[in-house]
Amino acid sequence: MHNSLLTPAFYGWLYNANSTQHSDEVTRNSQNMRTALNTRANFVSEHSNNSFLGSNSYLLARDNLLVTIIGKPEWYDTTLAHLANEKGHAEALLHAYGEHGQTCSHFIHGSFAFVIIDSIQGALTAGVDRLASIPLYYAEHMQQGIIFGTSAGALLAHDAIDEKLNPQALYNYVYFHMVPSPVSTFENIKKMQAAHSLHLKDGVSSIERYWTPSFKQTQQRSFDDMCNELRRTLKDSVKKAINKDVKTAAFLSGGLDSSTVTGMLSELSDSEAHAYSIGFSAEGYDEMAFARITAKHFGVKLHEYYVTPEDVVAALPSIATSYDEPFGNSSALPAYFCAKEAAKDSVQRLLAGDGGDELFAGNERYAKQKVFEQYSCIPKPLRTALFEPVLRMIPGQIPLVNKARSYVNQANTSLPGRMQNYNFLNQHAPNEIFNDAFINQISTDYPLELLESVYQAPENASALSRMLYLDWQFTLADNDLCKVSHMCALAGVEVAYPMLDDSLLTLAGEIPDQWKLKGQQLRYFYKQALTGWLPQETITKKKQGFGLPFGVWMQTHKPLQELAYDSLVKLKNRPYFRAEFLDKLIKLHREGHAVYYGELIWILTVLELWLEAHGERP
C-alpha cells in the first residue's frame, strides 16, 4: 500500500574518503538524519538505537552502519517480516543488507525510501519503491561524495550544492508539465526513478532498475475466477489502508476508482463512511452528480465543495511555489481544496483512487493507439507502394483525405513517440517557443529518449502493457502521486493509495490484454468484475477526473486573466522563451482552442510563479 506521509524525511551525506579518516561519519549522519526526521515529525526519540521517529520513520546506527527507512515497507522473506514486526523496519533492512548486500532492495515492497551507509566499506545503498511514492534526491560531489535527501530543498541547504537551474529540466517541464525523474530542476541534483536503487562504493556510483513488472497474460484461470480475485484484492487493499485509530475518509470524483475505494471503505467502516468531492460551475467539468450517485448507493456521507475562479486566484501562488520543482498539473488545486475540506472536519487520512486506469487500461489513448497499431496489419507493399502514394497525389483540402493522411502519418510513427502527437512541442517547433540560446543548451530529443527507455524496459511485453508501464512512471510516479501527496501534506492530511497496492500491480500483470481492452471497450475486465456492485451509472460514465476549467474561466474572469498575463509578461524578460510566441499564445487562447492553449498558459504561469518565488529574477 503506497502512502504519502506528512512527517518523515531524511538527509545526509557520505564522504568519498577512507573510513579511517572519517570514523565519526556514521555518528554525524545519524545526528543529521535524526534531526531531520524529528524536526518534520515534531517528535524526539528517547532511544539510541532502532528508533521509531514519528510516523513510519525508522533509524538504526550500529557497527559502523547507518540504516534509515521511511514509509510502510513490506517484506517478502518471513524472517525479515518477523524482524520488522518485532524490532522495526530498520532492523529488518539491516539484516537484509547483511545477507544480500546492495541487492537488499529486491526483498522490499510496499511504500518506502531508504538509505544505508556502510562506513567500513565506504559504501552507500539507497532506493525507492516501485512507484517512488516517497521521493529520493541525490547529488554526487567530488569532495563531499554523495549528498541525499527526500526533498530537493534538503540538498540545497548543503553548502556544497548551489541552486543553479538545469536548462534541460525547464524544457522537460514544458514537454511533460512536470519534471520527470531522473533529471531534477537543479543542475547538480538528480532524483531516483521508481523501482530504482543507487549504489556508491570507492567513489563510483551506479543505478539499478531492481524491479520491472511481469506481464504474464495468463489465461490458466477463468474470467470469473479472476473477477472474484480482483474484488477480494481490492477489498484487502482498502482494508490495509484503514487504521481504526485514524479518522479516515475518501476522495470521491464519481469515477470508477474513487467510487470503488469509497464503496469498500463504507463496507469496512464500523460507522457511516465519509467522502469528499469537488465540483466546478463549468459545463463539461462538473462530476458532482456522479459522486452523489455513488454516495447514495453506498450510504456514504458526501461533503461537497465547488471551486471558483476566485479560489484559483487566491490559492495558485502559494500552491505553485510550495513544490520543490515546477509542477504544472492544474488538478493539484482541486485535490488541495478537497483535502482542505477534509482537514477542517478533522479527517487524518484520505484514501485516493489513483491508479486504476493505468493498471487496467482505462485511458482513451490506449484504445486510440490500438487503432493505429492495426495499420501495420496491412501488408507493407500495399501501404508503401499503393495506399500512401495515392493519398499524397490527391490535391486540395478534402476533409476525409486529410483525416486519412493524419491517420497514416501517426500510424507510421512508432510508439511511444506517437502518443505525443498533440504535445505542445510537437504542435509548435521548439525554436518557435524557445530562444536559440536556450535551445543550444539542451537536447530536444531527450524527452522522447527518456520515454523510450521506460517503454522498452519490460521484457516480452505487448504494446498495451508497455503503455501501461510507461504511465506507471510518468503519469503515476512523477505526476499523480506527486500531485495528491503534496496537496494532502499541504492541507495537513495523510493520503493512502489502495489501488496501487503491490498485490494489484501483480494481478494487473496477469490479466490478458484482450480482457483489459476488449475491442475499443476500456477497462472491460474491471467493469465486468464490479458490475452489480458499483452503480450502473458509474460503470457506463465517461471518464473525466478532477480537471480544472482554467482555460474556460480565463476567457471571462479578469483577475485570473491578469494573474496569467502578468506571468507571461515577466517570462518575456527571462532567457528562455521567445517574446513573440508568448504574445501569440494569448491570441491563440482568445481566438483558437481555449482549453488546449489555456493549459499551456497555465503551465507557464506556474513556472513564472515558481521561478520568482525561488529567487530567480528576470
Side-chain angles (χ1 to χ4, degrees):
M1 175 183 57
H2 292 261
N3 291 279
S4 167
L5 307 167
L6 291 171
T7 51
F10 57 67
Y11 73 92
W13 58 88
L14 175 67
Y15 283 107
N16 275 339
N18 296 327
S19 58
T20 55
Q21 292 177 292
H22 297 278
S23 59
D24 61 343
E25 193 61 23
V26 166
T27 302
R28 293 169 62 186
N29 268 290
S30 178
Q31 291 170 346
N32 290 333
M33 284 193 272
R34 190 179 301 278
T35 300
L37 287 158
N38 289 336
T39 300
R40 283 287 292 273
N42 194 26
F43 178 89
V44 179
S45 172
E46 298 296 327
H47 308 287
S48 59
N49 265 347
N50 205 29
S51 305
F52 177 74
L53 302 173
S55 174
N56 308 315
S57 315
Y58 299 83
L59 179 67
L60 172 63
R62 183 188 298 157
D63 300 331
N64 293 304
L65 287 167
L66 175 66
V67 175
T68 184
I69 184 167
I70 59 178
K72 287 199 171 181
E74 299 173 23
W75 305 88
Y76 292 113
D77 183 88
T78 54
T79 300
L80 296 177
H82 177 75
L83 270 175
N85 186 56
E86 294 294 318
K87 297 184 178 182
H89 292 293
E91 189 76 47
L93 181 57
L94 178 65
H95 186 84
Y97 180 73
E99 291 287 319
H100 307 288
Q102 68 181 32
T103 63
C104 60
S105 55
H106 297 211
F107 297 85
I108 320 173
H109 61 119
S111 171
F112 63 85
F114 75 85
V115 172
I116 302 168
I117 294 177
D118 184 337
S119 66
I120 297 296
Q121 299 292 326
L124 176 143
T125 298
V128 295
D129 63 58
R130 296 175 180 185
L131 291 170
S133 62
I134 300 171
L136 185 60
Y137 291 80
Y138 63 97
E140 296 178 70
H141 192 275
M142 290 297 291
Q143 285 74 40
Q144 299 291 348
I146 194 159
I147 304 162
F148 56 86
T150 45
S151 70
L155 273 70
L156 292 172
H158 195 288
D159 292 340
I161 305 296
D162 61 43
E163 296 190 29
K164 186 177 181 182
L165 297 184
N166 184 346
Q168 186 66 57
L170 297 180
Y171 183 83
N172 296 352
Y173 169 76
V174 177
Y175 192 97
F176 292 103
H177 309 177
M178 46 79 185
V179 182
S181 308
V183 170
S184 91
T185 303
F186 304 98
E187 193 161 87
N188 297 313
I189 298 176
K190 298 177 182 178
K191 54 188 174 183
M192 197 79 70
Q193 287 178 286
H196 279 64
S197 55
L198 164 69
H199 311 291
L200 175 73
K201 187 173 182 181
D202 299 327
V204 178
S205 65
S206 61
I207 294 289
E208 175 200 12
R209 188 194 302 273
Y210 68 82
W211 176 84
T212 51
S214 175
F215 294 101
K216 299 175 183 177
Q217 305 282 321
T218 181
Q219 285 186 289
Q220 295 178 351
R221 288 176 288 169
S222 71
F223 187 92
D224 288 342
D225 283 346
M226 293 194 77
C227 284
N228 291 332
E229 183 176 351
L230 174 62
R231 290 191 292 268
R232 287 193 302 269
T233 306
L234 284 167
K235 194 160 192 174
D236 288 344
S237 299
V238 174
K239 187 176 182 179
K240 287 166 64 177
I242 299 172
N243 184 331
K244 299 296 183 182
D245 298 325
V246 175
K247 187 175 180 181
T248 302
F251 282 103
L252 179 57
S253 69
L256 277 174
D257 298 322
S258 65
S259 295
T260 298
V261 171
T262 299
M264 294 295 182
L265 175 64
S266 72
E267 292 187 355
L268 292 164
S269 298
D270 295 331
S271 57
E272 183 182 41
H274 291 247
Y276 289 80
S277 189
I278 291 297
F280 306 100
S281 296
E283 186 178 352
Y285 286 86
D286 188 32
E287 290 193 287
M288 193 68 78
F290 290 101
R292 291 168 184 157
I293 289 169
T294 295
K296 182 179 179 180
H297 182 80
F298 290 112
V300 170
K301 172 67 175 176
L302 182 63
H303 304 261
E304 303 178 3
Y305 184 84
Y306 271 78
V307 176
T308 66
E310 290 78 14
D311 286 331
V312 177
V313 172
L316 178 57
S318 60
I319 287 177
T321 58
S322 69
Y323 282 92
D324 262 353
E325 304 180 79
F327 187 78
N329 188 331
S330 64
S331 61
L333 267 81
Y336 170 72
F337 283 109
C338 210
K340 186 178 177 183
E341 290 301 301
K344 287 180 182 178
D345 295 335
S346 301
V347 171
Q348 297 164 280
R349 178 177 298 165
L350 279 167
L351 306 185
D354 299 80
D357 286 325
E358 291 74 26
L359 266 64
F360 301 104
N363 291 315
E364 291 287 346
R365 54 183 170 272
Y366 308 141
K368 182 178 181 180
Q369 298 307 321
K370 187 176 181 180
V371 172
F372 289 123
E373 289 291 294
Q374 291 171 349
Y375 183 67
S376 63
C377 297
I378 301 173
K380 189 173 181 179
L382 282 178
R383 286 184 277 138
T384 58
L386 180 61
F387 187 53
E388 293 173 19
V390 169
L391 276 179
R392 288 193 292 267
M393 290 171 58
I394 300 175
Q397 299 295 316
I398 303 172
L400 285 177
V401 174
N402 286 337
K403 284 185 177 181
R405 286 174 179 149
S406 176
Y407 171 82
V408 169
N409 288 337
Q410 291 185 66
N412 283 333
T413 303
S414 62
L415 287 170
R418 189 197 305 141
M419 299 172 72
Q420 299 298 320
N421 185 61
Y422 292 102
N423 192 299
F424 295 122
L425 288 168
N426 281 329
Q427 294 298 308
H428 297 272
N431 59 10
E432 179 188 355
I433 298 176
F434 296 97
N435 290 324
D436 289 341
F438 177 79
I439 289 287
N440 291 336
Q441 299 178 69
I442 59 99
S443 167
T444 58
D445 294 330
Y446 176 82
L448 190 55
E449 291 170 357
L450 179 60
L451 287 165
E452 184 76 25
S453 69
V454 175
Y455 182 81
Q456 297 296 344
E459 295 182 2
N460 303 316
S462 66
L464 176 60
S465 294
R466 293 184 188 281
M467 285 189 285
L468 293 173
Y469 183 60
L470 198 71
D471 275 337
W472 294 7
Q473 177 67 59
F474 294 96
T475 302
L476 293 175
D478 285 326
N479 198 327
D480 288 349
L481 299 193
C482 180
K483 171 191 71 181
V484 179
S485 295
H486 186 69
M487 289 299 95
C488 284
L490 200 63
V493 182
E494 290 188 29
V495 61
Y497 302 96
M499 295 293 299
L500 297 176
D501 190 273
D502 285 342
S503 60
L504 281 167
L505 265 69
T506 300
L507 178 59
E510 296 176 356
I511 298 167
D513 283 356
Q514 63 269 28
W515 291 2
K516 291 176 187 169
L517 179 60
K518 185 177 181 180
Q520 290 290 293
Q521 297 180 71
L522 296 167
R523 290 186 73 162
Y524 176 79
F525 170 81
Y526 189 95
K527 291 178 180 180
Q528 291 298 308
L530 277 297
T531 293
W533 182 74
L534 283 174
Q536 189 59 29
E537 295 92 335
T538 304
I539 297 288
T540 58
K541 76 176 286 295
K542 184 179 178 181
K543 176 180 169 58
Q544 282 182 246
F546 274 0
L548 187 75
F550 174 76
V552 175
W553 280 347
M554 206 179 76
Q555 289 179 304
T556 57
H557 193 266
K558 294 299 181 184
L560 204 55
Q561 277 185 10
E562 291 172 3
L563 175 64
Y565 292 167
D566 286 351
S567 296
L568 295 184
V569 168
K570 291 177 182 177
L571 273 180
K572 288 182 181 180
N573 296 316
R574 297 190 183 277
Y576 311 128
F577 300 96
R578 292 190 181 276
E580 57 269 29
F581 178 79
L582 297 177
D583 290 334
K584 179 182 177 181
L585 179 57
I586 294 173
K587 183 177 181 181
L588 287 168
H589 173 261
R590 287 174 172 172
E591 302 175 5
H593 200 301
V595 174
Y596 182 76
Y597 287 106
E599 185 176 9
L600 181 54
I601 290 175
W602 173 274
I603 66 170
L604 295 181
T605 298
V606 168
L607 177 61
E608 172 55 36
L609 292 169
W610 188 92
L611 289 169
E612 190 171 5
H614 286 75
E616 292 295 321
R617 299 187 180 279

